[in-house]
């Protein structure tokens, strides 16, 4: 069962990488920092126009990641926090992805 946990962690990490790249489009374009989406589609002008042109491909990558996490999480047995894990993998990641794709909000940075 350890391999399944590895798959889940890989899929979560991949989704985080992609969602962060989407969140940082403007900042990375302005600073010239590497961004996987800007590398794939170097015609950035504004976030809205960029998502209009490339939103289908970006959406596919992000939602594929969500579904991979959901599938990976579904085969595992949880001894505690199963409801929390299901909430995050079955709803939360999809909602966050939808919000960022629709330009409804930026990812809020949490300070500890």
């Amino acid at each position: 069962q350890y391999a399944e946990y590895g798959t889940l962690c890989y899929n979560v990490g991949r989704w985080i990488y992609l969602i962060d790249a989407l969140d940082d489009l403007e900042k990375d374009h302005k600073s010239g920092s590497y961004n996987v989406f800007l590398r794939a589609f170097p015609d950035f002008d504004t976030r809205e126009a960029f998502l209009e042109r490339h939103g289908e491909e970006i959406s596919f990558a992000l939602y594929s990641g969500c579904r991979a996490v959901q599938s990976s999480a579904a085969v595992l047995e949880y001894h505690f926090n199963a409801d929390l894990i299901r909430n995050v993998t079955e709803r939360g990641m999809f909602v966050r992805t939808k919000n960022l794709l629709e330009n409804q909000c930026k990812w809020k940075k949490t300070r500890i």
Side-chain angles (χ1 to χ4, degrees):
Q1 190 174 15
Y2 290 112
E4 287 87 1
Y5 284 108
T7 301
L8 174 64
C9 291
Y10 170 80
N11 288 324
V12 169
R14 181 178 176 276
W15 179 81
I16 290 171
Y17 176 77
L18 293 175
I19 203 76
D20 184 59
L22 176 61
D23 191 39
D24 291 345
L25 280 173
E26 297 96 338
K27 180 179 68 99
D28 290 343
H29 179 260
K30 186 176 181 179
S31 70
S33 297
Y34 180 83
N35 182 300
V36 66
F37 295 128
L38 296 175
R39 176 76 173 181
F41 310 110
D43 60 344
F44 185 87
D45 44 3
T46 67
R47 179 184 181 86
E48 294 77 20
F50 187 79
L51 288 175
E52 181 70 29
R53 286 190 301 274
H54 307 295
E56 190 173 321
E57 294 92 343
I58 293 169
S59 175
F60 178 81
L62 287 164
Y63 283 120
S64 294
C66 289
R67 286 186 295 280
V69 168
Q70 187 178 30
S71 296
S72 299
V75 300
L76 297 173
E77 181 179 329
Y78 302 99
H79 301 286
F80 56 92
N81 292 334
D83 291 338
L84 174 63
I85 293 166
R86 274 194 299 277
N87 186 300
V88 170
T89 62
E90 294 175 10
R91 297 188 71 238
M93 292 173 66
F94 287 93
V95 169
R96 175 58 68 186
T97 299
K98 179 181 180 288
N99 288 345
L100 281 176
L101 284 169
E102 293 177 355
N103 224 9
Q104 293 178 3
C105 65
K106 288 277 288 170
W107 192 278
K108 301 285 191 260
K109 306 295 183 210
T110 303
R111 295 190 181 241
I112 297 176

